[in-house]
Amino acid sequence: SALARVSIIDANGNIILDSFVTPDETITDYKTEFSGITKEKLEGAPSFSEIHEKIKTIINKDHFLVGQSIENDLAVMKLDVPLARIRDTALFFKRFHPAKKTPGLKDLSRWCLDLKIQGGEHDSVIDARSTLLLYRQQRVLWESTL
């Protein structure tokens, strides 16, 4: 996996950073049907190192990070964030799944928020906002179980 787009929103869902990224590695399969990424979208995009520096200026020790299966994103972005500052919707909702399976964001958004997402081209800003809404919906229970 390589970082090809990064989207960071604030606690109100406002976009702080949304950028395509030129990965350091050569891309052999864009997986456009899942990622929404095409070769054309990456033309002229900032390098990974440029975006990495921007991310490090945005995310500081006072921020909580909310995401779906966020450990994958952090690994690809080469970020080390203490577990206490992470709110991972995949892990949270897995506790309530009858078979203890990790539910996907598309299903969680449909079941919990009555939102249809990821029906066409993938949009990481919509994913980020959906994840934030899921966290907000369960915040009291979530924070009381930490």
Side-chain angles (χ1 to χ4, degrees):
S1 278
L3 183 67
R5 182 178 180 186
V6 61
S7 301
I8 300 174
I9 60 171
D10 66 15
N12 296 311
N14 299 311
I15 297 171
I16 297 173
L17 175 66
D18 184 31
S19 178
F20 290 103
V21 181
T22 301
D24 292 335
E25 306 87 21
T26 302
I27 298 176
T28 56
D29 182 0
Y30 289 89
K31 298 182 179 166
T32 303
E33 65 275 14
F34 304 109
S35 69
I37 304 295
T38 63
K39 182 178 182 177
E40 293 75 29
K41 288 181 179 178
L42 298 183
E43 288 176 5
S47 69
F48 174 80
S49 59
E50 290 174 86
I51 290 296
H52 189 254
E53 289 304 312
K54 271 189 182 179
I55 293 169
K56 290 192 308 186
T57 65
I58 294 169
I59 298 173
N60 66 48
K61 63 182 172 76
D62 298 324
H63 291 120
F64 284 91
L65 301 183
V66 177
Q68 172 79 7
S69 299
I70 196 168
E71 74 279 353
N72 300 325
D73 298 326
L74 295 173
V76 169
M77 290 187 283
K78 300 180 182 173
L79 294 175
D80 185 29
V81 178
L83 190 57
R85 290 184 27 227
I86 295 173
R87 303 297 183 267
D88 191 323
T89 53
L91 296 177
F92 178 79
F93 285 96
K94 181 179 180 177
R95 295 189 274 178
F96 306 105
H97 192 282
K100 301 295 182 213
K101 292 185 178 179
T102 305
L105 182 58
K106 181 178 181 176
D107 290 335
L108 284 173
S109 295
R110 189 176 75 244
W111 297 333
C112 301
L113 303 171
D114 199 28
L115 285 176
K116 290 181 105 178
I117 65 168
Q118 300 175 351
E121 186 172 299
H122 182 259
D123 186 324
S124 55
V125 172
I126 291 172
D127 286 0
R129 288 177 173 152
S130 297
T131 305
L132 178 62
L133 288 172
L134 287 164
Y135 169 73
R136 281 184 176 169
Q137 182 188 67
Q138 300 296 327
R139 186 178 63 82
V140 172
L141 173 62
W142 198 322
E143 297 302 325
S144 71
T145 61
L146 294 176

